[in-house]
Amino acid sequence: MADSLPTRQQDFNEWYNQLVLRADLADYAPVRGCMIIKPYGWALWENIQGALDRRFKATGHVNAAFPLFIPKSFLEKEKQHVEGFSPELAVVTIGGGEELAEPLVVRPTSETIIGHAYAQWIKSYRDLPVLINQWNSVVRWELRTKLFLRTLEFWWQEGHTAHATYDEAEAETRQMLDVYTDFAVNEAAVPVIPGIKSQSEKFAGALHSYTIEAMMGDKRALQAGTSHNLGQNFAKAFNIQYLDRENQLQHCWTTSWGLSTRFIGAIIMVHGDDQGLIMPPKLAPYQVVIVPIFKNDEEKASVLTVAKDIKAQLVKANIRVTLDEREGQSPGWKFNDWEMRGVPLRIELGPKDVAKQSAVLARRDRPGKEGKVFASLADLPLTVEKLLTEIQDSLHAKALSFRRSNTHNAQTYDEFKKADESGFAFSGWCGSGDCEGKIKEETRATMRCIPLDQEAVLGAGGGAASGKCVYCGQPAKSRAIFARAY
Ligand SMILES: [Zn+2]
């Protein structure tokens, strides 16, 4: 066994960096800031895609594919958008050896090119709403990069919709925020705080932006998905217009929403421990690993026969399972390896187990004896299903309790400064960008969101609000989450 990881307490950053490589999720690429997603990491992303795509289809969306290249002039049509994205653009000026008449931008996001298409497609109120999503990668020239969390190219989905009214666009924006919340909580076991972003933190070109914010294992915040009401900003920039029932020409109301491979970073940092990754069972590439244990060829033959039979039964029950038949590695080495990769449940099978028609099941989320049970082979798929559900629920409960115990009802600025060093501060805010800016300057904490459900943040017994802005003492409009963020 190679050296163990640095503990999270020692060096969370280095723990993360090594874990991503050693769990075989991703690798560095020859171009600085780019990422190679390895098969094990991509399998996790495919499961994330599947869980989201089902939800998108169930809410009436369809998938399409728009081009990678966008004429540079498109980006310039929406003023805030171009200001926000200009510093991050990769621009192609030569094609086929010739200088291009107009430079092409490698898409940082696709509002502009999709807006251009929608302007051609949408003529009348009968064409609305348009509900399209695409799965793709985008490029943003980031300076400080970190695998999954911030890379020049990353994979995501971007939904783009057009509607007849503000209310419909707003309902869509909120619906997709709910979809992300449901996905995060029920598939990834990642508790999130759905909320609205401040004007200074919103998407470049949006009327307003919603976000789901999660607390990582080092108590910092991660924006895990966003949903934007774009108002009529892009509709006006691209002439996305329709004839209403009275035959009057109107601008559409549009939205966009996205969740990216960054979410893999959230899964790692929310659930991982000092031994490695812990995959939430619902998204795990392998939910179960079977490790056979034997000393000689005779034992090997009988153990492998039973192990293969167990595997077949689990596959039949739609459980994602792998049998580790690797030669030349001890069972102990294999245990460590699968712990590093975060497989939720391990089945240990030796000659004695075969004789007794039972197996040892070891939970990844409960190290040592505490997480081990003997199970009869007779009804193993049922036992495994039950345990996977327990692991899924227990991961969520643990993460939620961690977040709540590290979210502080900070009422004075002194309390706030302490809170910000040890998790989230949940404090009154007057709504002024000045106070928000000063807080950012003085503490490094940024405003993550104004939670939509203010009561749910701290849970029962979380304490009353002061009713005052934590910075200026003026009456608070609402309470907001402030934290250091990825
Ligand atoms: Zn204030």
Side-chain angles (χ1 to χ4, degrees):
M1 184 63 196
D3 296 342
S4 51
L5 291 169
T7 68
R8 289 171 304 158
Q9 198 70 39
Q10 279 168 351
D11 189 342
F12 194 86
N13 184 49
E14 199 44 33
W15 167 84
Y16 178 90
N17 291 339
Q18 288 194 23
L19 173 50
V20 168
L21 301 178
R22 289 172 61 179
D24 217 20
L25 295 171
D27 206 348
Y28 295 102
V31 174
R32 180 203 64 86
C34 287
M35 157 174 71
I36 297 165
I37 302 184
K38 295 182 78 176
Y40 192 57
W42 193 257
L44 172 60
W45 179 239
E46 283 179 337
N47 290 341
I48 292 172
Q49 285 185 304
L52 284 171
D53 208 63
R54 278 197 299 281
R55 287 166 168 80
F56 297 161
K57 305 263 168 71
T59 44
H61 301 87
V62 289
N63 288 330
F66 291 86
L68 171 74
F69 295 127
I70 302 178
K72 192 154 182 274
S73 59
F74 280 28
L75 267 290
E76 284 153 7
K77 286 188 181 183
E78 213 291 329
K79 193 172 159 286
Q80 291 175 24
H81 193 63
V82 69
E83 275 175 19
F85 282 100
S86 279
E88 302 182 349
L89 295 180
V91 183
V92 178
T93 55
I94 295 172
E98 302 277 330
E99 186 100 10
L100 299 175
E102 182 180 358
L104 301 174
V105 167
V106 180
R107 65 184 166 209
T109 177
S110 303
E111 278 74 10
T112 56
I113 193 142
I114 292 179
H116 171 81
Y118 284 4
Q120 328 296 315
W121 298 348
I122 297 167
K123 303 289 176 207
S124 127
Y125 69 91
R126 292 185 200 87
D127 301 326
L128 297 171
V130 176
L131 306 173
I132 293 180
N133 174 63
Q134 74 171 338
W135 290 98
N136 60 347
S137 70
V138 293
V139 169
R140 296 178 187 176
W141 214 263
E142 302 280 0
L143 296 177
R144 291 178 57 236
T145 59
K146 196 170 168 68
L147 292 174
F148 290 117
L149 295 181
R150 186 168 279 110
T151 48
L152 296 201
E153 181 187 17
F154 60 87
W155 286 261
W156 74 345
Q157 56 69 216
E158 45 177 323
H160 295 270
T161 69
H163 306 264
T165 66
Y166 168 84
D167 286 347
E168 287 172 33
E170 180 63 13
E172 166 77 6
T173 314
R174 291 290 293 268
Q175 170 182 258
M176 300 326 286
L177 185 76
D178 289 346
V179 162
Y180 288 151
T181 304
D182 181 58
F183 159 78
V185 171
N186 294 310
E187 303 279 351
V190 169
V192 291
I193 301 174
I196 189 161
K197 286 276 180 195
S198 66
Q199 285 296 302
S200 75
E201 298 278 340
K202 72 178 181 182
F203 176 75
L207 208 55
H208 51 257
S209 292
Y210 295 94
T211 176
I212 50 172
E213 297 285 325
M215 181 185 280
M216 303 297 101
D218 61 350
K219 303 172 195 171
R220 283 169 71 182
L222 185 109
Q223 175 179 300
T226 49
S227 184
H228 315 291
N229 185 331
L230 303 173
Q232 293 179 310
N233 294 345
F234 287 89
K236 286 181 176 161
F238 288 89
N239 292 317
I240 313 172
Q241 289 178 296
Y242 72 97
L243 285 169
D244 69 12
R245 286 168 194 272
E246 278 75 47
N247 228 25
Q248 298 293 309
L249 204 54
Q250 305 280 358
H251 282 103
C252 286
W253 299 80
T254 65
T255 83
S256 67
W257 29 275
L259 186 146
S260 75
T261 39
R262 191 167 215 235
F263 202 92
I264 292 178
I267 289 174
I268 297 167
M269 291 194 287
V270 168
H271 299 311
D273 67 10
D274 291 343
Q275 276 65 53
L277 191 58
I278 301 180
M279 292 273 194
K282 285 194 182 171
L283 297 176
Y286 298 124
Q287 296 167 307
V288 176
V289 55
I290 305 168
V291 179
I293 302 165
F294 48 81
K295 290 203 189 73
N296 52 47
D297 284 350
E298 194 188 337
E299 286 181 0
K300 180 179 176 182
S302 82
V303 167
L304 279 184
T305 306
V306 176
K308 283 174 184 166
D309 180 53
I310 292 174
K311 184 183 171 188
Q313 284 184 45
L314 294 179
V315 168
K316 211 170 154 193
N318 287 318
I319 293 164
R320 295 186 292 276
V321 55
T322 183
L323 168 60
D324 189 347
E325 290 189 76
R326 283 179 289 182
E327 304 267 354
Q329 301 293 2
S330 70
W333 187 94
K334 290 179 179 177
F335 293 176
N336 286 334
D337 187 44
W338 292 110
E339 277 173 10
M340 181 70 78
R341 292 160 176 252
V343 174
L345 198 63
R346 178 175 76 230
I347 300 182
E348 305 169 7
L349 188 77
K352 283 182 191 162
D353 304 303
V354 169
K356 283 188 288 186
Q357 283 297 295
S358 72
V360 175
L361 307 190
R363 285 173 65 154
R364 174 63 184 88
D365 64 324
R366 289 195 190 155
K369 278 198 176 126
E370 193 206 340
K372 285 196 180 189
V373 291
F374 284 96
S376 157
L377 294 187
D379 47 8
L380 199 62
L382 272 176
T383 313
V384 166
E385 271 170 26
K386 195 169 143 275
L387 274 173
L388 290 175
T389 305
E390 273 179 43
I391 295 168
Q392 180 84 24
D393 293 348
S394 138
L395 286 176
H396 179 261
K398 192 177 165 200
L400 182 60
S401 140
F402 180 80
R403 190 192 77 204
R404 284 196 172 142
S405 59
N406 291 295
T407 301
H408 310 283
N409 180 9
Q411 307 212 349
T412 67
Y413 198 45
D414 276 345
E415 283 172 13
F416 181 96
K417 283 189 247 179
K418 268 187 223 141
D420 144 64
E421 281 163 14
S422 59
F424 288 6
F426 185 42
S427 299
W429 178 49
C430 64
S432 128
D434 283 350
C435 288
E436 186 192 354
K438 291 270 168 51
I439 287 173
K440 188 173 175 176
E441 249 175 60
E442 293 170 17
T443 70
R444 292 195 297 165
T446 51
M447 194 215 276
R448 305 316 305 156
C449 70
I450 299 163
L452 296 176
D453 183 348
Q454 301 249 312
E455 301 309 312
V457 173
L458 295 166
S466 70
K468 290 179 183 161
C469 176
V470 74
Y471 192 80
C472 68
Q474 296 296 306
K477 279 194 177 154
S478 49
R479 292 165 99 185
I481 297 283
F482 294 86
R484 295 180 190 186
Y486 280 95

